[in-house]
Amino acid sequence: MTDALTVPVDPVSAGRLAAKNLVYRLVDNGSDADTEAFLRAEARGFLDADPTPEQIAADRALLATRRNVGVFEENAPDGAFPVATVNSWVTPLTVPGGEVGMWAISAVTVSGTHRRRGIARNLLEGELRAAAGAGVAVAGLTVSEATIYERYGFASAIPAAKVSIDAPRAGWNGPATDGRVEYVERETLQKDLSALHEQARTQRSGQIAGWDARWERIAGLSVGHTAPRAVRGVRYVDADGAVRGAMAYTLKEVAGSFRADMEIHHLTSTTTDALAALWRFALQHDLVSKVVVDLRPTDDPITWLVTDQRGVDLTPHDHGWLRLLDVPAALSARTYRAPLDVVFRVEDPLGFAEGSWRLTSGADGTADVTRVDDGAEADVILGVGALSSIYAGGVSAVRLRAAGRLHASTETAAALDDAFRTADAPLLGIWY
Ligand SMILES: CC(C)(COP(=O)(O)OP(=O)(O)OC[C@H]1O[C@@H](n2cnc3c(N)ncnc32)[C@H](O)[C@@H]1OP(=O)(O)O)[C@@H](O)C(=O)NCCC(=O)NCCS
């Protein structure tokens, strides 16, 4: 897999920013001054408190694994904050039948003093050109603002569900399981979440690899965590003694009621038994009124594990965003659930995916994808965003057609769904 750390900054964005008297460069991960300035600028950009020296020291370990880019005022002194930040790394993205290298983008901020001068556009386009130049077929991100990234060709591709349960009303009607649920210390919780995610991430399209700091934070172990001792952990151990699921949660008293709401910060499992047992632990917990959790798959079985489905509110929302950069490499990295033979005409204002492409997939599910002459008659006309949306199998072509985002006959849209969609809904269980 490509190492993003070896990829230089994009010369086109560097030139465009230089014309605005701005310097676009890689942060020196070996320099304490440079990394501190990056981390403090990023925190400010995300409206967080200024990180403490201890947090900065801890965050450097993660920063060192990423390609960090800053935009600086010309002639800024050493240690000056960048006026914009972005970072990236290449991670496996699970797709049906395998995985593909994905250019993950994070830490996109522009200083409040430099907003709306086109800096973010140069950062994002620069990331895409760098990724494509390095041969990475797909880029991805999670977004705090859902209206920014479509203009760069990204689209919601891996929806997730927020689940809110009125526990007494929902009741329990799930299967009995023969393992046990046990409490674990936070250090064990971190290790279990990490190990389980490594297995679980290969089970659903849309997942990416985790990293230590992600699990530290969820387990309440990160430096500067606001309420580390409130974090509780349980895990499910099957009848053979293997850990098959884990859950991090906090309980918050509902004022004056002697009852609490449970917020699950992460729930991961590698078997259906583990998932049922952990759901049961949450829903049947004494003194708990409401259970809430986000980043569940949209087909979570919870609705079918309870007595009263009306006690379960499951709301899908956009979470994982993808952007195809290399159409043949991306489309041939996954398998298809039904034979397909279609010509796509893809529109991409940034050029990466622009053109006509024929995808032929046979009985074994693998696909051949080749460029065809732009004069060829297309079965499907769509923007790169719509193609990126259906790529992981989580968004329906029939639905995009109904929204006018994909043009094809009803039969072709249905055939796309038969081939592209997955049996289990795709999932991205973490933020990045
Ligand atoms: C969002 C942010 C990065 C935009 O930076 P910027 O340099 O002001 O953006 P640009 O001037 O390059 O604008 C690029 C385009 O995005 C649009 N845009 C910028 N911020 C936007 C927002 N918050 N919502 C919707 N559109 C936005 C601009 O209108 C512009 O559109 P156009 O190219 O079609 O004219 C910046 O406001 C910021 O740092 N916000 C706080 C942190 C954050 O939300 N980061 C995003 C994490 S997902």
Side-chain angles (χ1 to χ4, degrees):
M1 209 155 276
T2 309
D3 179 2
L5 285 168
T6 63
V7 180
V9 290
D10 166 57
V12 178
S13 284
R16 288 181 183 159
L17 287 164
K20 298 175 197 269
N21 302 321
L22 295 167
V23 178
Y24 172 70
R25 66 164 171 86
L26 293 179
V27 166
D28 177 358
N29 286 353
S31 152
D32 281 359
D34 232 18
T35 48
E36 175 172 336
F38 184 93
L39 287 165
R40 293 182 64 196
E42 181 194 356
R44 190 175 65 185
F46 281 116
L47 317 184
D48 292 335
D50 203 15
T52 61
E54 294 74 27
Q55 278 173 304
I56 290 171
D59 289 350
R60 279 203 179 103
L62 177 61
L63 215 59
T65 65
R66 298 193 171 170
R67 174 182 180 272
N68 306 297
V69 175
V71 178
F72 297 82
E73 286 284 9
E74 226 173 44
N75 306 320
D78 263 7
F81 278 26
V83 300
T85 61
V86 62
N87 66 20
S88 43
W89 66 105
V90 180
T91 179
L93 166 72
T94 306
V95 291
E99 59 184 43
V100 65
M102 183 191 86
W103 189 270
I105 299 173
S106 189
V108 178
T109 73
V110 174
S111 155
T113 51
H114 288 67
R115 62 195 287 279
R116 306 302 181 271
R117 300 186 197 172
I119 296 179
R121 175 168 284 280
N122 279 298
L123 287 186
L124 267 301
E125 289 188 8
E127 289 298 311
L128 297 178
R129 282 188 288 267
V136 180
V138 183
L141 37 74
T142 54
V143 309
S144 44
E145 190 92 68
T147 45
I148 300 175
Y149 297 98
E150 238 181 74
R151 57 175 56 75
Y152 310 117
F154 287 90
S156 166
I158 311 148
K162 182 165 188 162
V163 187
S164 175
I165 306 166
D166 174 342
R169 178 172 184 181
W172 181 256
N173 193 22
T177 51
D178 56 5
R180 63 179 194 277
V181 174
E182 60 186 28
Y183 287 103
V184 289
E185 295 288 356
R186 285 181 283 278
E187 289 72 16
T188 306
L189 178 64
Q190 183 204 331
K191 289 194 187 94
D192 285 345
L193 291 174
S194 171
L196 286 161
H197 180 78
E198 269 309 289
Q199 299 166 45
R201 75 172 175 85
T202 62
Q203 296 178 342
R204 288 212 188 225
S205 173
Q207 294 273 32
I208 66 165
W211 55 93
D212 288 348
R214 170 53 65 239
W215 309 119
E216 271 167 23
R217 162 107 62 106
I218 292 172
L221 295 172
S222 51
V223 178
H225 193 289
T226 47
R229 304 184 77 81
V231 178
R232 302 279 176 196
V234 287
R235 67 182 180 184
Y236 176 80
V237 182
D238 72 12
D240 297 326
V243 178
R244 301 294 187 195
M247 181 167 104
Y249 65 96
T250 49
L251 293 165
K252 192 165 170 214
E253 193 186 353
V254 181
S257 72
F258 295 103
R259 300 203 153 255
D261 288 342
M262 178 186 284
E263 185 178 352
I264 300 173
H265 299 285
H266 196 75
L267 166 54
T268 183
S269 56
T270 56
T271 63
T272 51
D273 267 12
L275 181 60
L278 291 169
W279 269 130
R280 181 177 196 162
F281 172 85
L283 266 59
Q284 299 220 294
H285 198 297
D286 286 328
L287 302 179
V288 165
S289 311
K290 195 164 89 177
V291 176
V292 294
V293 56
D294 200 353
L295 307 193
R296 295 302 305 156
T298 54
D299 61 354
D300 192 295
I302 183 60
T303 321
W304 298 95
L305 291 171
V306 297
T307 309
D308 184 350
Q309 296 197 352
R310 295 180 187 186
V312 178
D313 186 8
L314 185 148
T315 311
H317 60 87
D318 71 277
H319 179 49
W321 289 59
L322 295 179
R323 204 279 183 215
L324 297 201
L325 293 166
D326 181 330
V327 172
L331 292 182
S332 56
R334 58 157 290 178
T335 56
Y336 297 84
R337 271 164 50 89
L340 190 66
D341 184 3
V342 285
V343 172
F344 291 103
R345 168 90 187 97
V346 184
E347 288 152 7
D348 181 355
L350 293 180
F352 304 107
E354 178 76 23
S356 295
W357 311 93
R358 179 170 190 181
L359 184 155
T360 320
S361 161
D364 70 354
T366 63
D368 252 2
V369 184
T370 48
R371 189 186 272 283
V372 293
D373 192 87
D374 274 347
E377 196 177 327
D379 305 297
V380 187
I381 300 172
L382 75 182
V384 62
L387 186 60
S388 302
S389 279
I390 65 172
Y391 176 60
V395 174
S396 154
V398 168
R399 212 165 165 194
L400 292 184
R401 178 180 180 277
R405 287 176 180 244
L406 172 158
H407 304 281
S409 66
T410 44
E411 294 77 15
T412 301
L416 286 178
D417 278 350
D418 290 344
F420 273 73
R421 300 219 61 186
T422 50
D424 290 321
L427 173 69
L428 172 62
I430 52 178
W431 286 93
Y432 61 92

